[in-house]
Amino acid sequence: FKVKTLCCSLNIVFFFSTKPQKLLFWVIKLSLYFSCKIYSMFNTEDNKIPSKIDSKLLIKDLKVDGVPLRIYQPKWPPTGKRRGILYFHGGAGTFGSISKKSARAFERICRYIAKKCNSVVVSVGYRLAPEHPYPGQYFDCLNATLYFMRNLEEYHVDPALIIISGDSCGANFATVICQILVNKRDLPKIRAQVLFYPGLQGLDFHLPSYQQNARIPMLYRKLVIYFCFRYLNRKPSFLEDILQNCHVPEIMKLKYKKWISADNIPDEFKIRGYIPQKSTSYKHEVHEAVKELLAITFSPLLAEDSIICQLPESYIVTCEFDVLRDDGLLYKKRLEDNGIQVTWYHSESGFHGILAFFVLVPLHSWYTFKANKNISS
C-alpha cells in the first residue's frame, strides 16, 4: 500500500516537473516496480521475519548513546573466546533496519553468521538520514563499535578476533570505521574487514560499471545520485552535471586519478562496453551542491597510503551487474598495492542488493559466497 501511494505521489509530481526531473521520477518508479515484483516472488511463509526466540542463539536488544543494537550470541558453551563481528546494514543511509519488517534479510544474515562462525554478532541500527543528518551515521557506527570493543569480556570475545563488516553503504561505514580505528592505539587491532558490494567514492560516475549497469536493477546509475541527495538532505539538482563529474575540481581529478580511474580496472571488466569519458568542465555551483561526496567519510577510497597500509586483512565481494562493482575493484587494488592481504569473490551473475535474497540459502548456491579462508587466528 505504501509503495502504491508513493507511486501515485510521483505521478502527481511528474506533471509539474522539468524534463530532467521527469526522467529521475521514471527511474525511481521503475526501481519500485522491480522491487515489488521481486518482493512478491519471495514473500512466502518461509521468508517472514524470524521469531526473536532462537533455539541456538541468545538475542539481546539494547541501546548505546541512542543507537539500537541487536546482539546474537551462540547458546552452546564456548570452547574458548569467540570472534566478535560488527555488521552495518545497507540502505543508502536512508532506509533499512535491524528490527522492523525491512530487516528480515539482515536478521537472517546475522543469525547465520553467529551460528556458522560460532561468533558474537552485533547488528547496528544506526539512525537514518534525512531525519538524522549526515554524517551522524558514521558517529553511530563508531560509537557502537567502541562500546563493543570496550566490553569484550562481557560477551566472551577474543580481542584479537574482531571483524567489521557491512553491505553497500554499510560496507562504506565499515571501511571508514576501520580507517578511523587505525590510530586508536588504546583499542584492540581489527582482525579483518568484510565488505559486500561497497560504495566507496563519489568522484567518478563514469567508471565502466556505472556505464554498463546504468539501467540494471536494483540500483540504477541515476538512482545513486538521487540517494546521495536524500542522504545529504538536499533537493536533487544538477543531476546530469554530477553524472558527468562536473562537481570535481580539476586539481582533485588529477590528484586522485592514480587511485580512481578506469585505467585501474582490469580489461576483462570492460568487455561489456566502456567508452572513456571526454573531458568535462568543472562547475563550482555543482561542486557546492554535493561537495560532501568528495569527503573522506563519503569516499574512503581517497584515504592516504599511510592509512591504507595499516588496514586489516580484507574480504571483498563484488557483483558483475552492479554500478558499484568498480568501487570494490579499485579498493581491492589499493589494499593490495599497500601490502594488505585481500580475499576477493566476484559474483558473475550477481547484482546490487543480492544479500536481500539470503533467505534462499542453502536452496540456491547462487546466493552463497566462498570465503576460501577461515579467519580464526
Side-chain angles (χ1 to χ4, degrees):
F1 173 76
K2 290 181 179 178
V3 172
K4 287 182 179 178
T5 303
L6 180 56
C7 286
C8 289
S9 301
L10 287 171
N11 283 333
I12 294 170
V13 176
F14 179 83
F15 287 105
F16 298 96
S17 304
T18 62
K19 266 188 178 177
Q21 288 175 327
K22 287 181 179 179
L23 183 59
L24 179 59
F25 286 129
W26 275 118
V27 169
I28 297 170
K29 284 188 69 177
L30 280 171
S31 294
L32 290 169
Y33 172 79
F34 282 113
S35 299
C36 291
K37 285 293 183 183
I38 294 172
Y39 174 80
S40 63
M41 287 169 59
F42 300 115
N43 189 28
T44 63
E45 284 301 317
D46 293 332
N47 191 15
K48 300 300 182 183
I49 301 174
S51 166
K52 194 176 176 183
I53 300 174
D54 191 301
S55 62
K56 296 182 179 179
L57 294 176
L58 174 64
I59 301 173
K60 179 173 73 171
D61 288 337
L62 71 154
K63 282 192 174 184
V64 174
D65 295 329
V67 181
L69 307 182
R70 177 162 287 185
I71 301 177
Y72 306 82
Q73 297 173 261
K75 285 183 177 179
W76 59 87
T79 55
K81 289 194 173 182
R82 292 185 163 113
R83 300 177 193 84
I85 302 174
L86 288 124
Y87 190 86
F88 307 132
H89 68 79
T94 64
F95 60 91
S97 168
I98 64 171
S99 59
K100 297 179 181 178
K101 213 170 188 180
S102 58
R104 64 166 60 85
F106 305 124
E107 176 80 14
R108 293 178 185 271
I109 289 167
C110 291
R111 292 189 187 205
Y112 184 88
I113 294 173
K115 294 173 187 176
K116 293 296 182 181
C117 300
N118 188 23
S119 303
V120 177
V121 177
V122 180
S123 183
V124 181
Y126 56 85
R127 291 167 290 190
L128 304 175
E131 292 77 13
H132 295 276
Y134 163 89
Q137 294 68 38
Y138 295 95
F139 296 128
D140 285 355
C141 291
L142 178 60
N143 289 338
T145 302
L146 294 177
Y147 159 79
F148 185 57
M149 295 180 76
R150 289 168 177 160
N151 292 274
L152 298 178
E153 281 294 328
E154 179 182 343
Y155 300 104
H156 204 71
V157 167
D158 187 338
L161 292 177
I162 300 172
I163 299 168
I164 297 183
S165 63
D167 69 282
S168 191
C169 77
N172 174 289
F173 300 155
T175 303
V176 172
I177 298 306
C178 280
Q179 292 181 0
I180 291 173
L181 293 178
V182 157
N183 294 316
K184 295 280 186 180
R185 305 302 180 188
D186 58 326
L187 294 171
K189 187 175 176 63
I190 300 299
R191 175 63 184 86
Q193 58 179 346
V194 178
L195 312 175
F196 294 96
Y197 39 81
L200 301 173
Q201 60 86 29
L203 272 78
D204 193 344
F205 296 107
H206 249 273
L207 291 169
S209 61
Y210 270 104
Q211 292 188 26
Q212 295 162 356
N213 303 310
R215 296 175 180 84
I216 293 181
M218 304 281 289
L219 188 62
Y220 297 91
R221 183 174 173 227
K222 286 185 170 67
L223 198 57
V224 172
I225 309 302
Y226 168 79
F227 281 136
C228 288
F229 274 106
R230 178 169 169 77
Y231 183 41
L232 298 174
N233 197 20
R234 306 267 174 81
K235 184 179 178 181
S237 58
F238 305 113
L239 177 64
E240 291 300 328
D241 286 327
I242 297 169
L243 289 174
Q244 296 300 322
N245 301 328
C246 296
H247 63 299
V248 186
E250 197 60 36
I251 190 170
M252 203 170 194
K253 289 181 182 178
L254 293 172
K255 178 179 179 180
Y256 293 116
K257 184 177 175 61
K258 59 184 176 180
W259 296 335
I260 302 178
S261 167
D263 295 340
N264 293 333
I265 303 296
D267 288 340
E268 59 263 34
F269 292 101
K270 301 173 185 176
I271 294 174
R272 288 199 290 124
Y274 168 66
I275 301 174
Q277 185 186 17
K278 295 179 180 179
S279 179
T280 56
S281 299
Y282 167 68
K283 297 182 179 180
H284 180 70
E285 66 275 18
V286 181
H287 170 78
E288 286 299 309
V290 289
K291 58 186 177 184
E292 290 86 352
L293 301 188
L294 309 179
I296 297 293
T297 45
F298 206 102
S299 298
L301 252 171
L302 304 183
E304 295 296 327
D305 284 338
S306 59
I307 296 293
I308 300 293
C309 69
Q310 299 183 69
L311 290 172
E313 182 179 349
S314 304
Y315 177 60
I316 298 176
V317 172
T318 54
C319 295
E320 178 61 26
F321 299 99
D322 179 9
V323 290
L324 301 184
R325 180 197 69 199
D326 292 350
D327 285 23
L329 295 178
L330 291 172
Y331 201 51
K332 171 181 177 289
K333 184 179 188 306
R334 282 218 64 199
L335 290 165
E336 291 175 336
D337 287 349
N338 280 273
I340 306 301
Q341 184 176 342
V342 179
T343 298
W344 169 56
Y345 177 79
H346 182 65
S347 176
E348 294 182 357
S349 55
F351 52 88
H352 194 82
I354 196 172
L355 281 182
F357 309 108
F358 185 80
V359 292
L360 298 180
V361 172
L363 297 180
H364 293 73
S365 60
W366 181 38
Y367 299 112
T368 64
F369 303 111
K370 298 176 183 177
N372 296 324
K373 182 175 180 182
N374 181 18
I375 299 176
S376 58
S377 61

